[in-house]
């Protein structure tokens, strides 16, 4: 898969994982596992990129005597998910065109 396409898809997946509830790294990986495999190193790279793009915020919360980073989606992050949903219609149309079997341009 094209690296840029995959990167964009993974960014939206991570945003979707925290859309309804704040979450932390291990929980995000666990929530995504039924759909895709994501390593910790890949996840944390994505989280840093999304934070820099102001699509999520980070807060430190004490949990069992240790600090844990919790990630929250921002309005920009929600907007990115909405943009993806709009783009998906076009992507599906392109996919149908590419995979058509009859060879016509209808």
């Amino acid at each position: 898969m094209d690296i840029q396409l995959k990167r964009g898809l993974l960014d939206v997946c991570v945003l979707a994982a925290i859309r309804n509830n704040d979450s932390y790294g291990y929980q995000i990986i666990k929530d995504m596992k039924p759909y895709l495999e994501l390593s910790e190193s890949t996840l944390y790279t994505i989280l840093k990129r999304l934070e820099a793009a102001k699509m999520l915020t980070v807060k430190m919360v004490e949990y069992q005597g240790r600090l844990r980073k919790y990630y929250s989606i921002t309005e920009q992050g929600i907007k990115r998910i909405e943009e993806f949903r709009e783009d998906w219609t076009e992507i599906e149309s392109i996919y149908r065109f590419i995979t058509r079997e009859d060879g016509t341009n209808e």
Side-chain angles (χ1 to χ4, degrees), residues 1-10:
M1 178 183 286
D2 176 71
I3 191 72
Q4 293 293 39
L5 176 59
K6 187 172 185 176
R7 178 187 224 185
L9 291 172
L10 290 176

Side-chain angles (χ1 to χ4, degrees), residues 61-88:
V61 176
E62 188 173 336
Y63 177 78
Q64 295 182 351
R66 297 178 55 200
L67 289 178
R68 179 185 278 175
K69 283 186 178 182
Y70 276 82
Y71 299 90
S72 304
I73 195 166
T74 65
E75 286 299 317
Q76 283 182 257
I78 292 169
K79 183 179 176 185
R80 177 63 193 109
I81 292 172
E82 291 169 1
E83 289 168 353
F84 174 80
R85 286 180 168 168
E86 291 169 10
D87 292 343
W88 191 252

Side-chain angles (χ1 to χ4, degrees), residues 7 10-19 21-29 32 38-59 68-74:
R7 178 187 224 185
L10 290 176
D11 286 0
V12 175
C13 287
V14 170
L15 290 170
I18 63 172
R19 175 182 43 217
N21 297 306
D22 296 354
S23 194
Y24 56 96
Y26 178 74
Q27 186 63 49
I28 294 169
I29 289 173
M32 293 175 69
L38 190 65
S39 70
E40 285 186 44
S41 61
T42 299
L43 174 64
Y44 288 107
T45 299
I46 293 167
L47 290 168
K48 286 179 186 178
R49 183 170 54 247
L50 293 172
E51 182 182 10
K54 299 188 182 338
M55 291 188 203
L56 58 79
T57 58
V58 180
K59 66 181 172 188
R68 179 185 278 175
K69 283 186 178 182
Y70 276 82
Y71 299 90
S72 304
I73 195 166
T74 65

